Structures are given as structure tokens and as C-alpha cells.
């Protein structure tokens, strides 16, 4: 084990031409008989020998890499956002005022992207990581929704077309007594 470490140290030191030409290397055996390599001779011992170090090997490639285009390519993905439910100009009949909104993102949406639903010109809740929303207690009448795809920096990178839907909630007329 110790010999492997010593040999590895020698190989590493010999692999750096600056070290090999600027420093001398000495070798001797310690009391246990193990070879010791050092950049200074063993003090008080004449048995340390200077190791002759040859200049390091330099291997040059015979492949011309100047013709290779190794610059990273930016992938320009054009996202498309579409609202698939409710239908444009459709009527939603729900007495509780619930509306389920579904969208589709193309190409597949990556980690870190978020969807913001816009209801009647205002953000609805916080952006989320999927394109399905459940609206609650929506008032009767006309409403407009839109989805925006937001990148990791908070920038809108794609938007759906605005979809208009009509909320129909039945009203029970009260009788006068």
C-alpha cells in the first residue's frame, strides 16, 4: 500500500515538466526498507541518491479540431399555450359557480416553468406547475380567461388566446308572504 502511494507520487511528480526541470528528486530506503522519494536529500545520510528526471512527455493531437464547432447551441423553443376547456363562447352551468379550466402546452413543459391563469384581466391565485385550474364561486355572466407560461425568471414566454365563457347559475325566486 505504501509502495503504491510512493510510486503514484513519483509518477505524478514526473508528469509535470515544470516540477521535473525545476526541482531535484532524491530517493532512499527508510529503516523499514521502504523507498522514500523527496525533493530534499535525507539529512545526515549519504545513502540518498539523486534521481535523474527526463523532460516530461508531451503528446500532441494529430486531429485538427479547428473545424469543430463546439460552441453551445441555444435551443429556441417556441411554446404554445392553448385553453381546451371551457370552449370559447361556451356556457358553463353550475349553481356553485365552479369552472374547470384545462390547458395544453406545446412542446412538453420543462421543470421550472409555471402557468398563470388570468381571469377577467387579473391573475387568479398564484402561478402553478400544471395547466388545470378549478375556479370556485364565479359570478353569473360573461368572463374572459387566458393562460400565461412563465419562465424561471418570472418572464411571460407564451400566452394563450383569450377565451370567453358564460357562467349560468340558476336563481330561485323568493315568494312574498
Amino acid at each position: 500500500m505504501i509502495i503504491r502511494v510512493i510510486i503514484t507520487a513519483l509518477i505524478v511528480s514526473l508528469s509535470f515538466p515544470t516540477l521535473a526541470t525545476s526541482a531535484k528528486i532524491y530517493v532512499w530506503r527508510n529503516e523499514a526498507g521502504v523507498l522514500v522519494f523527496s525533493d530534499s536529500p535525507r539529512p545526515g545520510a549519504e545513502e540518498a541518491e539523486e534521481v535523474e528526471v527526463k523532460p516530461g512527455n508531451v503528446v500532441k493531437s494529430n486531429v485538427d479540431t479547428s473545424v469543430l464547432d463546439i460552441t453551445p447551441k441555444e435551443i429556441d423553443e417556441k411554446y404554445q399555450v392553448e385553453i381546451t376547456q371551457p370552449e370559447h363562447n361556451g356556457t358553463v352551468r353550475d349553481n356553485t359557480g365552479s369552472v374547470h379550466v384545462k390547458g395544453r402546452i406545446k412542446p412538453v413543459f420543462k421543470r421550472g416553468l409555471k402557468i398563470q391563469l388570468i381571469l377577467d384581466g387579473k391573475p387568479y391565485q398564484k402561478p402553478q406547475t400544471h395547466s388545470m385550474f378549478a375556479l370556485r364561486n364565479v359570478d353569473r355572466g360573461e368572463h374572459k380567461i387566458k393562460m400565461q407560461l412563465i419562465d424561471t425568471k418570472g418572464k411571460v414566454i407564451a400566452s394563450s388566446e383569450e377565451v370567453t365563457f358564460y357562467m349560468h347559475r340558476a336563481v330561485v325566486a323568493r315568494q312574498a308572504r
Side-chain angles (χ1 to χ4, degrees):
M1 175 72 176
I2 295 174
I3 294 176
R4 280 187 176 171
V5 172
I6 293 171
I7 292 174
T8 303
L10 179 64
I11 291 172
V12 168
S13 67
L14 293 177
S15 65
F16 294 107
T18 56
L19 292 177
T21 59
S22 64
K24 294 182 179 181
I25 297 177
Y26 299 91
V27 64
W28 68 88
R29 291 197 182 271
N30 66 11
E31 295 78 24
V34 177
L35 281 176
V36 176
F37 294 88
S38 177
D39 60 350
S40 59
R42 183 175 173 192
E46 296 180 12
E47 57 193 67
E49 294 180 27
E50 185 177 334
V51 177
E52 186 179 319
V53 180
K54 295 179 182 175
N57 291 336
V58 178
V59 178
K60 293 186 179 182
S61 174
N62 60 358
V63 176
D64 181 15
T65 58
S66 66
V67 297
L68 299 176
D69 182 11
I70 56 173
T71 55
K73 300 289 182 203
E74 269 191 48
I75 299 172
D76 187 24
E77 293 179 325
K78 300 282 185 187
Y79 283 97
Q80 297 175 349
V81 181
E82 174 187 14
I83 295 175
T84 59
Q85 183 182 333
E87 290 181 11
H88 183 58
N89 289 327
T91 299
V92 177
R93 299 177 192 283
D94 189 301
N95 288 339
T96 66
S98 296
V99 180
H100 296 282
V101 179
K102 293 181 184 177
R104 182 180 306 142
I105 314 302
K106 291 181 185 177
V108 175
F109 121 35
K110 294 180 180 176
R111 176 178 284 172
L113 299 180
K114 294 190 175 184
I115 300 285
Q116 175 68 65
L117 181 68
I118 308 295
L119 173 63
D120 296 329
K122 297 177 187 169
Y124 182 81
Q125 297 180 342
K126 293 180 181 178
Q128 59 187 34
T129 57
H130 53 85
S131 59
M132 293 175 52
F133 294 84
L135 309 180
R136 302 284 181 231
N137 202 24
V138 177
D139 291 333
R140 294 172 57 198
E142 179 184 277
H143 298 279
K144 296 180 184 295
I145 54 174
K146 181 163 90 170
M147 287 185 181
Q148 295 177 333
L149 185 61
I150 301 171
D151 69 8
T152 56
K153 297 174 185 170
K155 179 182 172 190
V156 175
I157 56 174
S159 253
S160 71
E161 295 289 325
E162 194 170 64
V163 170
T164 301
F165 71 92
Y166 302 92
M167 186 65 182
H168 179 41
R169 294 173 77 169
V171 177
V172 178
R174 295 184 187 208
Q175 294 181 349
R177 291 188 189 197

